[in-house]
Amino acid sequence: MMAQRPDIIVIGGGSAGAACASRLADAGQKVLLVEAGKSDKDIRSRVPALMANIVQTPDFDWCYRAEPDPSVGGRPDVWPAGKRLGGGSAINGMMFIRGHQWDYDHWAELGATGWDYESCLPYFRRMEDNERGPDKWRGTGGPIAVSEIRSRYSVTEDWVSAVQEAGFPRSPDLNGEKAEGVDFIQLSQRSGLRWSAARGYLEKASPNLEIMLEAQVQRIVIENGRATGVKLRHNGQIRTLTARHGVVLSAGALNTPRLLMLSGIGPGDELRKHGIDTVIALPGVGQNLQEHSATHLVNAVDTHTLNDDSRGLSAVKQLLALAVKRSGALTTGIGHAQAFVRSREGLSAPNIQLAFSAFAFDVTEKGNLALRGESSVSTLVGLMRPSSRGSVTLRSGNPDAAPKIEHILLGDEDDVLQLVEGLQIARAVMAQPAIAKDVSGEVRPGEELESAEALSHYVRAATIPMYHPVGTAKIGSKADPMAVVDADLKLYGLEGLWVADASVMPTIPAGNTNATAIMIGDKASDHILKAVKGRDISQAA
Ligand SMILES: Cc1cc2nc3c(=O)[nH]c(=O)nc-3n(C[C@H](O)[C@H](O)[C@H](O)COP(=O)(O)OP(=O)(O)OC[C@H]3O[C@@H](n4cnc5c(N)ncnc54)[C@H](O)[C@@H]3O)c2cc1C
């Protein structure tokens, strides 16, 4: 344990917490980072394709399940959340994408002053070590390695051509000037291995940073209107640790609101229900839960795919390719190429993400995913700006109880319509000459489902969450009663408590959320330094 009392305690060493803790320590703060999970130094986290073995494994994942969702036939969906140093970035699909500039500018319009794209860009740039090199939009030399995919299949090249044949532009860089059009996917990897936020920010962190693993925070300690420390369980003992300046809460969009409520911060009625005294009444805690929804188009193909590389001699070759060249099927992320497209006229920005993979899964009778036995490809059709909103509340006052997640994935008819439009675009792409020559049939939804009505039934049955929960402690102006933190990420009504993770996003950005969460953690450090050292945020980054 740190000999001295730390200046700041950071709760949660995930995507945002790792970035924030490391930057604060670099700036001279004595930081104690407390993480409930173990280290991410584990081959199952490092080898990308082993992701399938760690999601839904309690040693890596909090393994949450939402309440039954009537909009998808009453299915109680799984809501994974990383439980290792690195958090989500230690178990996720590694797709590295920032989202569209419009989303950040929209945040600022909603009251998150200083979170427009121009203000976030220096932090996106400083986090990156981008294999494509630096330019006005991209960074190099930063802690997070961003690499091109190394699991290459000719069918992916064909898909990229087919998207263009279908009328969408080729993007020079979806993380660059414009997040619209088609490109190969970039991954959070270096030399074919996962590059989590823990690897990037914590492995070479300043000696000012101490990390306490397998330390599960039960609540934030509040004295005289100030957060002074945490109560946690470590090695079977309950301990209270204090910090000079305060606490940064980075437990992720599901656990951050849970910890706030366990600490007496949240909607009064909800706290009373569980016998918790209200310290600060903030009705927005746990509300505004947002999530991307996605459905899949699966095709059988006559060309070589990753499904073929998962069996027999080919599988052995892939092991060798990883060991010798750090390439091949075992370096795969969850997608290989992607396109951001508009499914209709009059939108301010693309509303649909198509993520193409040169592989496809079947769902087994037990509900598990299994790679298909034949050559196959899949196109994920993701809805980028869903209207549905859900909530995270307490199941009980027991600090070990899972949060109660209530989310109606397809609560809005127009969300279903947009997914149908996205599916129709994904099908149109597969019909283009560049890829039609590879395709031997449609597995899901199935060619017989043609009408928009039939496709909407399919969407309702087959849509799943994309594992991108955000928004449950949103940034907003003082005039917004549902805002939880101000634009400096300080909790309303309390000194010494900042929230820095995916929960502060006012709305979900158009793209997988890891890069945005890391940006928030990195930028948070400058807001906190402004508070504790009077540093000028406009001069930071
Ligand atoms: C299976 C999966 C696949 C995904 N795929 C992608 C992808 O391909 N690309 C992408 O961009 N995004 C992806 N995401 C989403 C992305 O990883 C998350 O948005 C991001 O990690 C969120 O960062 P965060 O800092 O908000 O929370 P997290 O990274 O979840 O960090 C929270 C941390 O807090 C710790 N913690 C929680 N409660 C406590 C407590 N009481 N005490 C101490 N510590 C605690 C947790 O163990 C965790 O380490 C995926 C997520 C999942 C789960």
PDB file of all heavy atoms in Angstrom, residues 12 14-16 35-36 55 62 80 82-84 87-88 92-95 215-217 250-252 255 259 467-468 501-502 512-514 517, ligand 1:
ATOM      1  N   GLY A  12     -11.822   1.971 -10.570  1.00  0.00           N
ATOM      2  CA  GLY A  12     -12.005   1.292 -11.848  1.00  0.00           C
ATOM      3  C   GLY A  12     -10.867   1.576 -12.811  1.00  0.00           C
ATOM      4  O   GLY A  12     -10.639   2.718 -13.208  1.00  0.00           O
ATOM      5  N   GLY A  14     -10.561   0.657 -15.952  1.00  0.00           N
ATOM      6  CA  GLY A  14     -11.013   0.297 -17.297  1.00  0.00           C
ATOM      7  C   GLY A  14     -10.499   1.272 -18.341  1.00  0.00           C
ATOM      8  O   GLY A  14      -9.496   1.970 -18.127  1.00  0.00           O
ATOM      9  N   SER A  15     -11.203   1.337 -19.468  1.00  0.00           N
ATOM     10  CA  SER A  15     -10.753   2.153 -20.596  1.00  0.00           C
ATOM     11  C   SER A  15     -10.512   3.600 -20.157  1.00  0.00           C
ATOM     12  O   SER A  15      -9.452   4.175 -20.424  1.00  0.00           O
ATOM     13  CB  SER A  15     -11.804   2.118 -21.712  1.00  0.00           C
ATOM     14  OG  SER A  15     -12.051   0.777 -22.089  1.00  0.00           O
ATOM     15  N   ALA A  16     -11.475   4.198 -19.486  1.00  0.00           N
ATOM     16  CA  ALA A  16     -11.338   5.598 -19.091  1.00  0.00           C
ATOM     17  C   ALA A  16     -10.492   5.735 -17.824  1.00  0.00           C
ATOM     18  O   ALA A  16      -9.630   6.632 -17.728  1.00  0.00           O
ATOM     19  CB  ALA A  16     -12.718   6.206 -18.857  1.00  0.00           C
ATOM     20  N   GLU A  35      -9.100  -1.469  -8.561  1.00  0.00           N
ATOM     21  CA  GLU A  35      -9.799  -2.216  -9.602  1.00  0.00           C
ATOM     22  C   GLU A  35     -10.310  -3.527  -9.013  1.00  0.00           C
ATOM     23  O   GLU A  35      -9.556  -4.262  -8.366  1.00  0.00           O
ATOM     24  CB  GLU A  35      -8.830  -2.471 -10.770  1.00  0.00           C
ATOM     25  CG  GLU A  35      -9.260  -3.543 -11.763  1.00  0.00           C
ATOM     26  CD  GLU A  35     -10.616  -3.305 -12.427  1.00  0.00           C
ATOM     27  OE1 GLU A  35     -10.890  -2.181 -12.852  1.00  0.00           O
ATOM     28  OE2 GLU A  35     -11.420  -4.274 -12.475  1.00  0.00           O
ATOM     29  N   ALA A  36     -11.585  -3.823  -9.293  1.00  0.00           N
ATOM     30  CA  ALA A  36     -12.192  -5.048  -8.742  1.00  0.00           C
ATOM     31  C   ALA A  36     -11.628  -6.313  -9.381  1.00  0.00           C
ATOM     32  O   ALA A  36     -11.558  -7.364  -8.744  1.00  0.00           O
ATOM     33  CB  ALA A  36     -13.709  -5.001  -8.940  1.00  0.00           C
ATOM     34  N   VAL A  55     -15.459 -13.460 -22.877  1.00  0.00           N
ATOM     35  CA  VAL A  55     -16.741 -12.785 -22.653  1.00  0.00           C
ATOM     36  C   VAL A  55     -17.685 -13.840 -22.064  1.00  0.00           C
ATOM     37  O   VAL A  55     -17.685 -14.991 -22.497  1.00  0.00           O
ATOM     38  CB  VAL A  55     -17.290 -12.200 -23.975  1.00  0.00           C
ATOM     39  CG1 VAL A  55     -18.666 -11.592 -23.776  1.00  0.00           C
ATOM     40  CG2 VAL A  55     -16.321 -11.155 -24.522  1.00  0.00           C
ATOM     41  N   TRP A  62     -18.243  -9.068 -15.735  1.00  0.00           N
ATOM     42  CA  TRP A  62     -19.222  -9.006 -14.630  1.00  0.00           C
ATOM     43  C   TRP A  62     -20.460  -9.849 -14.956  1.00  0.00           C
ATOM     44  O   TRP A  62     -21.268 -10.114 -14.068  1.00  0.00           O
ATOM     45  CB  TRP A  62     -19.632  -7.549 -14.358  1.00  0.00           C
ATOM     46  CG  TRP A  62     -18.542  -6.707 -13.752  1.00  0.00           C
ATOM     47  CD1 TRP A  62     -17.577  -6.028 -14.440  1.00  0.00           C
ATOM     48  CD2 TRP A  62     -18.297  -6.460 -12.362  1.00  0.00           C
ATOM     49  NE1 TRP A  62     -16.751  -5.368 -13.550  1.00  0.00           N
ATOM     50  CE2 TRP A  62     -17.171  -5.614 -12.267  1.00  0.00           C
ATOM     51  CE3 TRP A  62     -18.917  -6.858 -11.187  1.00  0.00           C
ATOM     52  CZ2 TRP A  62     -16.654  -5.165 -11.050  1.00  0.00           C
ATOM     53  CZ3 TRP A  62     -18.413  -6.405  -9.966  1.00  0.00           C
ATOM     54  CH2 TRP A  62     -17.286  -5.575  -9.904  1.00  0.00           C
ATOM     55  N   PRO A  80     -22.497  -7.855 -21.152  1.00  0.00           N
ATOM     56  CA  PRO A  80     -21.154  -8.051 -20.608  1.00  0.00           C
ATOM     57  C   PRO A  80     -20.513  -6.727 -20.200  1.00  0.00           C
ATOM     58  O   PRO A  80     -20.865  -5.670 -20.731  1.00  0.00           O
ATOM     59  CB  PRO A  80     -20.371  -8.661 -21.782  1.00  0.00           C
ATOM     60  CG  PRO A  80     -21.307  -8.785 -22.913  1.00  0.00           C
ATOM     61  CD  PRO A  80     -22.573  -8.083 -22.583  1.00  0.00           C
ATOM     62  N   GLY A  82     -16.386  -5.562 -18.844  1.00  0.00           N
ATOM     63  CA  GLY A  82     -15.043  -6.050 -18.510  1.00  0.00           C
ATOM     64  C   GLY A  82     -14.737  -5.969 -17.025  1.00  0.00           C
ATOM     65  O   GLY A  82     -15.033  -4.966 -16.379  1.00  0.00           O
ATOM     66  N   LYS A  83     -14.169  -7.061 -16.482  1.00  0.00           N
ATOM     67  CA  LYS A  83     -13.775  -7.074 -15.070  1.00  0.00           C
ATOM     68  C   LYS A  83     -12.311  -7.508 -14.978  1.00  0.00           C
ATOM     69  O   LYS A  83     -12.005  -8.611 -14.507  1.00  0.00           O
ATOM     70  CB  LYS A  83     -14.680  -8.022 -14.278  1.00  0.00           C
ATOM     71  CG  LYS A  83     -14.479  -7.912 -12.780  1.00  0.00           C
ATOM     72  CD  LYS A  83     -15.314  -8.933 -12.040  1.00  0.00           C
ATOM     73  CE  LYS A  83     -15.172  -8.744 -10.535  1.00  0.00           C
ATOM     74  NZ  LYS A  83     -15.892  -9.766  -9.787  1.00  0.00           N
ATOM     75  N   ARG A  84     -11.463  -6.696 -15.483  1.00  0.00           N
ATOM     76  CA  ARG A  84     -10.015  -6.888 -15.456  1.00  0.00           C
ATOM     77  C   ARG A  84      -9.411  -5.500 -15.492  1.00  0.00           C
ATOM     78  O   ARG A  84     -10.089  -4.540 -15.869  1.00  0.00           O
ATOM     79  CB  ARG A  84      -9.536  -7.637 -16.707  1.00  0.00           C
ATOM     80  CG  ARG A  84      -9.811  -9.112 -16.673  1.00  0.00           C
ATOM     81  CD  ARG A  84      -8.649  -9.866 -16.071  1.00  0.00           C
ATOM     82  NE  ARG A  84      -9.037 -11.231 -15.733  1.00  0.00           N
ATOM     83  CZ  ARG A  84      -8.171 -12.209 -15.507  1.00  0.00           C
ATOM     84  NH1 ARG A  84      -6.876 -12.005 -15.592  1.00  0.00           N
ATOM     85  NH2 ARG A  84      -8.584 -13.409 -15.163  1.00  0.00           N
ATOM     86  N   GLY A  87     -10.579  -3.054 -18.102  1.00  0.00           N
ATOM     87  CA  GLY A  87     -12.048  -3.054 -18.208  1.00  0.00           C
ATOM     88  C   GLY A  87     -12.508  -3.619 -19.537  1.00  0.00           C
ATOM     89  O   GLY A  87     -12.036  -4.670 -19.984  1.00  0.00           O
ATOM     90  N   GLY A  88     -13.414  -2.890 -20.203  1.00  0.00           N
ATOM     91  CA  GLY A  88     -13.924  -3.340 -21.500  1.00  0.00           C
ATOM     92  C   GLY A  88     -12.807  -3.555 -22.509  1.00  0.00           C
ATOM     93  O   GLY A  88     -12.867  -4.475 -23.333  1.00  0.00           O
ATOM     94  N   ASN A  92     -12.889  -6.624 -25.195  1.00  0.00           N
ATOM     95  CA  ASN A  92     -13.809  -6.216 -26.263  1.00  0.00           C
ATOM     96  C   ASN A  92     -13.375  -6.675 -27.650  1.00  0.00           C
ATOM     97  O   ASN A  92     -12.370  -7.377 -27.802  1.00  0.00           O
ATOM     98  CB  ASN A  92     -14.062  -4.692 -26.207  1.00  0.00           C
ATOM     99  CG  ASN A  92     -12.838  -3.884 -26.585  1.00  0.00           C
ATOM    100  OD1 ASN A  92     -11.881  -4.396 -27.160  1.00  0.00           O
ATOM    101  ND2 ASN A  92     -12.860  -2.610 -26.257  1.00  0.00           N
ATOM    102  N   GLY A  93     -14.136  -6.258 -28.648  1.00  0.00           N
ATOM    103  CA  GLY A  93     -13.891  -6.690 -30.031  1.00  0.00           C
ATOM    104  C   GLY A  93     -12.775  -5.925 -30.722  1.00  0.00           C
ATOM    105  O   GLY A  93     -12.489  -6.177 -31.892  1.00  0.00           O
ATOM    106  N   MET A  94     -12.159  -4.956 -30.014  1.00  0.00           N
ATOM    107  CA  MET A  94     -10.978  -4.214 -30.461  1.00  0.00           C
ATOM    108  C   MET A  94     -11.199  -3.245 -31.616  1.00  0.00           C
ATOM    109  O   MET A  94     -10.234  -2.669 -32.120  1.00  0.00           O
ATOM    110  CB  MET A  94      -9.817  -5.177 -30.816  1.00  0.00           C
ATOM    111  CG  MET A  94      -9.192  -5.818 -29.621  1.00  0.00           C
ATOM    112  SD  MET A  94      -8.366  -7.384 -30.017  1.00  0.00           S
ATOM    113  CE  MET A  94      -9.757  -8.450 -30.249  1.00  0.00           C
ATOM    114  N   MET A  95     -12.427  -3.092 -32.095  1.00  0.00           N
ATOM    115  CA  MET A  95     -12.661  -2.126 -33.179  1.00  0.00           C
ATOM    116  C   MET A  95     -12.347  -0.732 -32.653  1.00  0.00           C
ATOM    117  O   MET A  95     -12.843  -0.339 -31.597  1.00  0.00           O
ATOM    118  CB  MET A  95     -14.112  -2.206 -33.658  1.00  0.00           C
ATOM    119  CG  MET A  95     -14.360  -3.457 -34.475  1.00  0.00           C
ATOM    120  SD  MET A  95     -16.088  -3.725 -34.908  1.00  0.00           S
ATOM    121  CE  MET A  95     -16.460  -2.293 -35.902  1.00  0.00           C
ATOM    122  N   ALA A 215      -9.771  -5.296  -5.694  1.00  0.00           N
ATOM    123  CA  ALA A 215     -10.261  -4.419  -4.618  1.00  0.00           C
ATOM    124  C   ALA A 215     -11.602  -3.862  -5.060  1.00  0.00           C
ATOM    125  O   ALA A 215     -11.657  -3.022  -5.966  1.00  0.00           O
ATOM    126  CB  ALA A 215      -9.267  -3.293  -4.385  1.00  0.00           C
ATOM    127  N   GLN A 216     -12.664  -4.356  -4.475  1.00  0.00           N
ATOM    128  CA  GLN A 216     -14.002  -3.974  -4.933  1.00  0.00           C
ATOM    129  C   GLN A 216     -14.606  -2.898  -4.044  1.00  0.00           C
ATOM    130  O   GLN A 216     -14.859  -3.117  -2.857  1.00  0.00           O
ATOM    131  CB  GLN A 216     -14.903  -5.204  -4.970  1.00  0.00           C
ATOM    132  CG  GLN A 216     -16.243  -4.874  -5.614  1.00  0.00           C
ATOM    133  CD  GLN A 216     -17.001  -6.112  -6.045  1.00  0.00           C
ATOM    134  OE1 GLN A 216     -16.399  -7.131  -6.375  1.00  0.00           O
ATOM    135  NE2 GLN A 216     -18.313  -6.034  -6.032  1.00  0.00           N
ATOM    136  N   VAL A 217     -14.819  -1.739  -4.662  1.00  0.00           N
ATOM    137  CA  VAL A 217     -15.364  -0.610  -3.894  1.00  0.00           C
ATOM    138  C   VAL A 217     -16.836  -0.874  -3.587  1.00  0.00           C
ATOM    139  O   VAL A 217     -17.591  -1.336  -4.449  1.00  0.00           O
ATOM    140  CB  VAL A 217     -15.196   0.703  -4.689  1.00  0.00           C
ATOM    141  CG1 VAL A 217     -15.900   1.862  -3.993  1.00  0.00           C
ATOM    142  CG2 VAL A 217     -13.708   1.016  -4.866  1.00  0.00           C
ATOM    143  N   SER A 250     -14.760   5.768 -12.152  1.00  0.00           N
ATOM    144  CA  SER A 250     -14.623   5.284 -13.543  1.00  0.00           C
ATOM    145  C   SER A 250     -15.001   3.810 -13.603  1.00  0.00           C
ATOM    146  O   SER A 250     -14.265   2.987 -14.140  1.00  0.00           O
ATOM    147  CB  SER A 250     -13.176   5.455 -14.024  1.00  0.00           C
ATOM    148  OG  SER A 250     -12.759   6.791 -13.976  1.00  0.00           O
ATOM    149  N   ALA A 251     -16.147   3.465 -13.031  1.00  0.00           N
ATOM    150  CA  ALA A 251     -16.523   2.053 -12.925  1.00  0.00           C
ATOM    151  C   ALA A 251     -17.367   1.584 -14.108  1.00  0.00           C
ATOM    152  O   ALA A 251     -17.836   0.452 -14.125  1.00  0.00           O
ATOM    153  CB  ALA A 251     -17.256   1.814 -11.611  1.00  0.00           C
ATOM    154  N   GLY A 252     -17.544   2.444 -15.125  1.00  0.00           N
ATOM    155  CA  GLY A 252     -18.307   2.060 -16.313  1.00  0.00           C
ATOM    156  C   GLY A 252     -19.786   2.399 -16.178  1.00  0.00           C
ATOM    157  O   GLY A 252     -20.298   2.625 -15.071  1.00  0.00           O
ATOM    158  N   ASN A 255     -21.764   0.137 -13.581  1.00  0.00           N
ATOM    159  CA  ASN A 255     -21.373   0.150 -12.165  1.00  0.00           C
ATOM    160  C   ASN A 255     -21.213   1.547 -11.572  1.00  0.00           C
ATOM    161  O   ASN A 255     -21.329   1.720 -10.356  1.00  0.00           O
ATOM    162  CB  ASN A 255     -20.079  -0.654 -11.980  1.00  0.00           C
ATOM    163  CG  ASN A 255     -20.386  -2.128 -11.818  1.00  0.00           C
ATOM    164  OD1 ASN A 255     -21.256  -2.492 -11.034  1.00  0.00           O
ATOM    165  ND2 ASN A 255     -19.718  -2.976 -12.577  1.00  0.00           N
ATOM    166  N   LEU A 259     -22.670   2.484  -7.923  1.00  0.00           N
ATOM    167  CA  LEU A 259     -21.854   2.951  -6.791  1.00  0.00           C
ATOM    168  C   LEU A 259     -22.332   4.314  -6.284  1.00  0.00           C
ATOM    169  O   LEU A 259     -22.289   4.579  -5.080  1.00  0.00           O
ATOM    170  CB  LEU A 259     -20.375   3.020  -7.202  1.00  0.00           C
ATOM    171  CG  LEU A 259     -19.651   1.674  -7.196  1.00  0.00           C
ATOM    172  CD1 LEU A 259     -18.235   1.805  -7.740  1.00  0.00           C
ATOM    173  CD2 LEU A 259     -19.605   1.085  -5.779  1.00  0.00           C
ATOM    174  N   TYR A 467     -23.215  -4.050 -26.765  1.00  0.00           N
ATOM    175  CA  TYR A 467     -22.334  -3.995 -25.576  1.00  0.00           C
ATOM    176  C   TYR A 467     -21.629  -2.633 -25.458  1.00  0.00           C
ATOM    177  O   TYR A 467     -20.451  -2.555 -25.154  1.00  0.00           O
ATOM    178  CB  TYR A 467     -21.309  -5.142 -25.588  1.00  0.00           C
ATOM    179  CG  TYR A 467     -21.906  -6.495 -25.864  1.00  0.00           C
ATOM    180  CD1 TYR A 467     -21.188  -7.489 -26.510  1.00  0.00           C
ATOM    181  CD2 TYR A 467     -23.202  -6.787 -25.474  1.00  0.00           C
ATOM    182  CE1 TYR A 467     -21.743  -8.739 -26.764  1.00  0.00           C
ATOM    183  CE2 TYR A 467     -23.768  -8.029 -25.722  1.00  0.00           C
ATOM    184  CZ  TYR A 467     -23.036  -8.995 -26.369  1.00  0.00           C
ATOM    185  OH  TYR A 467     -23.598 -10.224 -26.621  1.00  0.00           O
ATOM    186  N   HIS A 468     -22.416  -1.570 -25.711  1.00  0.00           N
ATOM    187  CA  HIS A 468     -21.891  -0.206 -25.639  1.00  0.00           C
ATOM    188  C   HIS A 468     -22.735   0.659 -24.701  1.00  0.00           C
ATOM    189  O   HIS A 468     -23.183   1.733 -25.104  1.00  0.00           O
ATOM    190  CB  HIS A 468     -21.898   0.438 -27.033  1.00  0.00           C
ATOM    191  CG  HIS A 468     -21.073  -0.265 -28.058  1.00  0.00           C
ATOM    192  ND1 HIS A 468     -21.327  -0.193 -29.404  1.00  0.00           N
ATOM    193  CD2 HIS A 468     -19.979  -1.050 -27.930  1.00  0.00           C
ATOM    194  CE1 HIS A 468     -20.433  -0.904 -30.067  1.00  0.00           C
ATOM    195  NE2 HIS A 468     -19.607  -1.446 -29.196  1.00  0.00           N
ATOM    196  N   ASP A 501     -15.995   8.236 -17.323  1.00  0.00           N
ATOM    197  CA  ASP A 501     -16.161   6.972 -18.062  1.00  0.00           C
ATOM    198  C   ASP A 501     -17.335   7.125 -19.034  1.00  0.00           C
ATOM    199  O   ASP A 501     -17.837   8.236 -19.236  1.00  0.00           O
ATOM    200  CB  ASP A 501     -16.332   5.769 -17.117  1.00  0.00           C
ATOM    201  CG  ASP A 501     -17.562   5.890 -16.221  1.00  0.00           C
ATOM    202  OD1 ASP A 501     -18.486   6.631 -16.578  1.00  0.00           O
ATOM    203  OD2 ASP A 501     -17.589   5.227 -15.161  1.00  0.00           O
ATOM    204  N   ALA A 502     -17.768   5.993 -19.601  1.00  0.00           N
ATOM    205  CA  ALA A 502     -18.810   6.063 -20.629  1.00  0.00           C
ATOM    206  C   ALA A 502     -20.136   6.587 -20.087  1.00  0.00           C
ATOM    207  O   ALA A 502     -21.004   6.986 -20.869  1.00  0.00           O
ATOM    208  CB  ALA A 502     -19.014   4.676 -21.238  1.00  0.00           C
ATOM    209  N   ASN A 512     -18.425   2.256 -32.224  1.00  0.00           N
ATOM    210  CA  ASN A 512     -18.128   1.491 -31.013  1.00  0.00           C
ATOM    211  C   ASN A 512     -17.473   2.451 -30.013  1.00  0.00           C
ATOM    212  O   ASN A 512     -16.752   3.364 -30.403  1.00  0.00           O
ATOM    213  CB  ASN A 512     -17.202   0.329 -31.362  1.00  0.00           C
ATOM    214  CG  ASN A 512     -17.686  -0.406 -32.603  1.00  0.00           C
ATOM    215  OD1 ASN A 512     -17.844   0.207 -33.650  1.00  0.00           O
ATOM    216  ND2 ASN A 512     -17.940  -1.669 -32.497  1.00  0.00           N
ATOM    217  N   THR A 513     -17.690   2.224 -28.730  1.00  0.00           N
ATOM    218  CA  THR A 513     -17.498   3.308 -27.757  1.00  0.00           C
ATOM    219  C   THR A 513     -16.154   3.333 -27.016  1.00  0.00           C
ATOM    220  O   THR A 513     -15.931   4.209 -26.184  1.00  0.00           O
ATOM    221  CB  THR A 513     -18.633   3.226 -26.711  1.00  0.00           C
ATOM    222  OG1 THR A 513     -18.813   1.841 -26.346  1.00  0.00           O
ATOM    223  CG2 THR A 513     -19.929   3.772 -27.272  1.00  0.00           C
ATOM    224  N   ASN A 514     -15.257   2.395 -27.307  1.00  0.00           N
ATOM    225  CA  ASN A 514     -14.039   2.335 -26.507  1.00  0.00           C
ATOM    226  C   ASN A 514     -13.137   3.567 -26.679  1.00  0.00           C
ATOM    227  O   ASN A 514     -12.667   4.135 -25.690  1.00  0.00           O
ATOM    228  CB  ASN A 514     -13.253   1.064 -26.864  1.00  0.00           C
ATOM    229  CG  ASN A 514     -12.129   0.808 -25.900  1.00  0.00           C
ATOM    230  OD1 ASN A 514     -12.303   0.907 -24.697  1.00  0.00           O
ATOM    231  ND2 ASN A 514     -10.953   0.504 -26.430  1.00  0.00           N
ATOM    232  N   ALA A 517     -14.520   6.402 -24.783  1.00  0.00           N
ATOM    233  CA  ALA A 517     -14.345   6.269 -23.323  1.00  0.00           C
ATOM    234  C   ALA A 517     -12.906   6.629 -22.936  1.00  0.00           C
ATOM    235  O   ALA A 517     -12.676   7.328 -21.936  1.00  0.00           O
ATOM    236  CB  ALA A 517     -14.681   4.844 -22.876  1.00  0.00           C
TER     237      ALA A 517
HETATM  238  C1  LIG B   1     -17.837  -7.809 -25.111  1.00  0.00           C
HETATM  239  C2  LIG B   1     -17.596  -6.382 -25.464  1.00  0.00           C
HETATM  240  C3  LIG B   1     -17.201  -6.054 -26.770  1.00  0.00           C
HETATM  241  C4  LIG B   1     -16.972  -4.717 -27.107  1.00  0.00           C
HETATM  242  N1  LIG B   1     -16.429  -4.424 -28.332  1.00  0.00           N
HETATM  243  C5  LIG B   1     -16.000  -3.165 -28.594  1.00  0.00           C
HETATM  244  C6  LIG B   1     -15.240  -2.867 -29.760  1.00  0.00           C
HETATM  245  O1  LIG B   1     -14.925  -3.735 -30.577  1.00  0.00           O
HETATM  246  N2  LIG B   1     -14.847  -1.583 -29.961  1.00  0.00           N
HETATM  247  C7  LIG B   1     -15.181  -0.582 -29.100  1.00  0.00           C
HETATM  248  O2  LIG B   1     -14.835   0.563 -29.366  1.00  0.00           O
HETATM  249  N3  LIG B   1     -15.887  -0.842 -27.979  1.00  0.00           N
HETATM  250  C8  LIG B   1     -16.264  -2.099 -27.687  1.00  0.00           C
HETATM  251  N4  LIG B   1     -16.902  -2.375 -26.516  1.00  0.00           N
HETATM  252  C9  LIG B   1     -17.245  -1.259 -25.612  1.00  0.00           C
HETATM  253  C10 LIG B   1     -16.050  -0.659 -24.865  1.00  0.00           C
HETATM  254  O3  LIG B   1     -15.140  -1.650 -24.473  1.00  0.00           O
HETATM  255  C11 LIG B   1     -16.579   0.136 -23.665  1.00  0.00           C
HETATM  256  O4  LIG B   1     -17.403   1.190 -24.142  1.00  0.00           O
HETATM  257  C12 LIG B   1     -15.488   0.741 -22.809  1.00  0.00           C
HETATM  258  O5  LIG B   1     -14.596  -0.230 -22.353  1.00  0.00           O
HETATM  259  C13 LIG B   1     -16.126   1.471 -21.613  1.00  0.00           C
HETATM  260  O6  LIG B   1     -15.102   2.039 -20.844  1.00  0.00           O
HETATM  261  P1  LIG B   1     -15.363   2.544 -19.355  1.00  0.00           P
HETATM  262  O7  LIG B   1     -14.085   3.105 -18.876  1.00  0.00           O
HETATM  263  O8  LIG B   1     -16.563   3.391 -19.340  1.00  0.00           O
HETATM  264  O9  LIG B   1     -15.736   1.242 -18.519  1.00  0.00           O
HETATM  265  P2  LIG B   1     -14.942  -0.119 -18.345  1.00  0.00           P
HETATM  266  O10 LIG B   1     -13.872  -0.226 -19.373  1.00  0.00           O
HETATM  267  O11 LIG B   1     -15.962  -1.179 -18.279  1.00  0.00           O
HETATM  268  O12 LIG B   1     -14.201   0.036 -16.949  1.00  0.00           O
HETATM  269  C14 LIG B   1     -14.829  -0.047 -15.707  1.00  0.00           C
HETATM  270  C15 LIG B   1     -13.846  -0.693 -14.736  1.00  0.00           C
HETATM  271  O13 LIG B   1     -14.308  -0.495 -13.413  1.00  0.00           O
HETATM  272  C16 LIG B   1     -14.153  -1.696 -12.675  1.00  0.00           C
HETATM  273  N5  LIG B   1     -15.138  -1.684 -11.586  1.00  0.00           N
HETATM  274  C17 LIG B   1     -16.481  -1.733 -11.689  1.00  0.00           C
HETATM  275  N6  LIG B   1     -17.051  -1.718 -10.463  1.00  0.00           N
HETATM  276  C18 LIG B   1     -16.035  -1.642  -9.571  1.00  0.00           C
HETATM  277  C19 LIG B   1     -15.983  -1.596  -8.155  1.00  0.00           C
HETATM  278  N7  LIG B   1     -17.096  -1.631  -7.400  1.00  0.00           N
HETATM  279  N8  LIG B   1     -14.759  -1.505  -7.548  1.00  0.00           N
HETATM  280  C20 LIG B   1     -13.607  -1.473  -8.287  1.00  0.00           C
HETATM  281  N9  LIG B   1     -13.615  -1.539  -9.644  1.00  0.00           N
HETATM  282  C21 LIG B   1     -14.820  -1.617 -10.279  1.00  0.00           C
HETATM  283  C22 LIG B   1     -14.419  -2.783 -13.706  1.00  0.00           C
HETATM  284  O14 LIG B   1     -13.921  -4.037 -13.304  1.00  0.00           O
HETATM  285  C23 LIG B   1     -13.724  -2.198 -14.942  1.00  0.00           C
HETATM  286  O15 LIG B   1     -12.371  -2.567 -15.003  1.00  0.00           O
HETATM  287  C24 LIG B   1     -17.174  -3.686 -26.152  1.00  0.00           C
HETATM  288  C25 LIG B   1     -17.566  -4.019 -24.842  1.00  0.00           C
HETATM  289  C26 LIG B   1     -17.768  -5.349 -24.502  1.00  0.00           C
HETATM  290  C27 LIG B   1     -18.159  -5.669 -23.087  1.00  0.00           C
END
